[in-house]
Amino acid sequence: MPILPKLLASLIALVFSVLSLTWAAPSQAAELSPPILLGALAQGNAITDPNAILRYALPIDNDTVRKLQGALEDISNHIRAKRWPPIAKDVREANVVLSLRSDKILASIPTTGQTTAEALLADLRSELSDLQTAVEAKDREQVTTLRQSALAKIGQLEQLMVVGFPYDVPADYGTLPQLKGRATVAMETTQGPLTIVVDGYSAPVNAGNFIDLVQRHFYDGLPFIRSEDNFVVQAGDPDGPETGFIDPQTQAYRAIPLEVLVKGEEGPIYGMTLEDAGLYLPELALPFNAYGAIALARPDTDPNGGSSQFFFFKFDSELTPPGFNLMDGRYSVFGYVVQGKETLEKLTDKDKIISATVVEGADNLVLPQG
């Protein structure tokens, strides 16, 4: 079968999977509108590294550190093919930024973080020197290792620039837990461990709900209830007839809204898909570009009807081209698997979550008063 018809056939099959990524009856599935299908075919040089997405999603405004980061991120576009001239150019650009403009990076960091930042910059200078040597030797493994280490330090610098929370969550959601920052979850499954970074800067309500449920040990022992190769694996359905979390204090179903942050906007869009909002192909803070994106499942007829069920997205570049696929704007991404891809690849509906624990950032969870 020619590639294009094969891709279209795959996309049509995926449409029905996307529209049924819920616990509603099949007869309630929404119709697919043409802009969504066109969106599925849109493709660009999208970022597929979850750590890179998380770095770019930090709410900071410092062009210098972004230029430094961008130079090192770009190496990933060339390293597999061993295109050494553009890699060398990226390293030179990073060195220039670090040598001549470190003061502009420090200018965005509060006084309390200056000492830490200066130490990180000193380490970066050393690593970039080693990186340049590795590039000259055309040592791909060493280049990859040094690049990842340098980007991790840049991420720490960028985190130091974040002061407070960047916007107010609408009062309508004041009765729900909110994550005012980031948290890391260690999840143990029957196939092995996963490390998940949950991003409250971009999805505070969805992230807060997930972290609160982890803290309650709600997910411990629950099975994965759905798996599809190269698409998703889903969990979070509690025992019994309920499809989501029932708050023990109110005895009510905790409903979580669709929550999607478009880059450049002051805060997320709530309660409607981006298609319904009339937005097509916007750049999202947390897109479905990366293998292991974690998002809230929901009834297909109710954008505000999600609760405890979530899914891991098993990104496949043929079925869901990076850059505005069928999923973006229809479901709320609230984090990414940053370690354990080999575990996620093996998970099916025959597996279960053994335990989930917040190992960092628990103090960023804000619970509703009263």
Side-chain angles (χ1 to χ4, degrees):
M1 182 182 292
I3 293 176
L4 185 56
K6 180 181 178 183
L7 177 58
L8 286 172
S10 298
L11 288 169
I12 290 170
L14 181 63
V15 164
F16 291 100
S17 294
V18 170
L19 293 175
S20 64
L21 191 56
T22 67
W23 48 92
S27 61
Q28 295 176 301
E31 294 183 359
L32 178 69
S33 63
I36 291 296
L37 182 55
L38 291 174
L41 296 175
Q43 185 170 202
N45 191 23
I47 300 171
T48 59
D49 176 2
N51 289 295
I53 294 173
L54 287 164
R55 282 189 287 268
Y56 280 120
L58 283 170
I60 62 172
D61 184 16
N62 186 292
D63 292 339
T64 302
V65 79
R66 289 303 195 197
K67 188 170 184 179
L68 174 62
Q69 177 188 342
L72 296 183
E73 302 280 13
D74 187 61
I75 292 174
S76 66
N77 296 321
H78 311 295
I79 192 65
R80 181 171 296 180
K82 299 181 181 180
R83 294 193 290 265
W84 295 109
I87 293 173
K89 180 181 178 182
D90 286 334
V91 175
R92 286 196 301 271
E93 181 176 334
N95 267 311
V96 168
V97 173
L98 198 57
S99 298
L100 302 181
R101 301 177 187 172
S102 291
D103 59 324
K104 295 185 181 297
I105 294 174
L106 290 169
S108 292
I109 295 174
T111 303
T112 54
Q114 287 285 318
T115 301
T116 301
E118 288 171 354
L120 286 168
L121 288 169
D123 289 344
L124 273 171
R125 292 186 187 96
S126 177
E127 284 193 339
L128 285 184
S129 177
D130 293 342
L131 182 58
Q132 184 170 343
T133 300
V135 171
E136 291 169 355
K138 298 183 179 179
D139 186 337
R140 184 169 68 174
E141 183 176 346
Q142 186 71 352
V143 168
T144 299
T145 300
L146 289 168
R147 169 188 171 272
Q148 290 173 342
S149 178
L151 281 169
K153 290 181 175 62
I154 290 170
Q156 293 176 56
L157 280 169
E158 292 170 340
Q159 185 68 60
L160 289 172
M161 295 178 181
V162 180
V163 179
F165 196 74
Y167 53 84
D168 292 326
V169 176
D172 289 349
Y173 308 116
T175 59
L176 298 173
Q178 298 174 18
L179 187 67
K180 297 296 185 71
R182 286 183 175 168
T184 302
V185 171
M187 181 177 288
E188 190 66 35
T189 76
T190 46
Q191 291 292 351
L194 299 169
T195 301
I196 306 161
V197 173
V198 180
D199 183 17
Y201 292 124
S202 303
V205 176
N206 279 252
N209 174 66
F210 181 74
I211 294 299
D212 177 55
L213 293 179
V214 169
Q215 293 279 60
R216 292 172 182 264
H217 300 285
F218 176 88
Y219 294 114
D220 294 2
L222 290 187
F224 288 94
I225 58 173
R226 176 187 182 184
S227 66
E228 295 186 31
D229 290 341
N230 300 323
F231 184 36
V232 300
V233 60
Q234 186 169 332
D237 183 19
D239 294 333
E242 301 295 343
T243 58
F245 174 66
I246 304 300
D247 191 316
Q249 291 186 335
T250 64
Q251 296 301 307
Y253 177 91
R254 180 194 282 175
I256 304 299
L258 181 63
E259 180 181 42
V260 181
L261 179 62
V262 175
K263 283 192 174 182
E265 295 296 321
E266 292 184 359
I269 294 172
Y270 289 92
M272 68 181 75
T273 66
L274 295 190
E275 178 191 8
D276 289 338
L279 297 173
Y280 302 105
L281 309 186
E283 186 177 5
L284 305 186
L286 301 180
F288 279 100
N289 290 348
Y291 189 97
I294 180 172
L296 188 73
R298 63 174 179 82
D300 61 343
T301 57
D302 185 3
N304 291 323
S307 184
S308 61
Q309 293 191 42
F310 67 90
F311 61 91
F312 293 113
F313 188 50
K314 292 187 172 184
F315 170 79
D316 181 275
S317 58
E318 180 178 338
L319 294 181
T320 51
F324 317 115
N325 54 62
L326 286 169
M327 309 293 286
D328 284 331
R330 297 184 66 87
Y331 298 93
S332 306
V333 177
F334 55 84
Y336 297 92
V337 172
V338 296
Q339 292 180 17
K341 181 180 179 182
E342 65 286 349
T343 295
L344 185 53
E345 288 172 341
K346 294 183 289 186
L347 284 174
T348 72
D349 55 7
K350 304 297 190 294
D351 292 298
K352 69 177 182 178
I353 299 169
I354 297 172
S355 64
T357 307
V358 180
V359 295
E360 187 177 345
D363 55 337
N364 292 324
L365 179 64
V366 179
L367 296 174
Q369 299 298 313

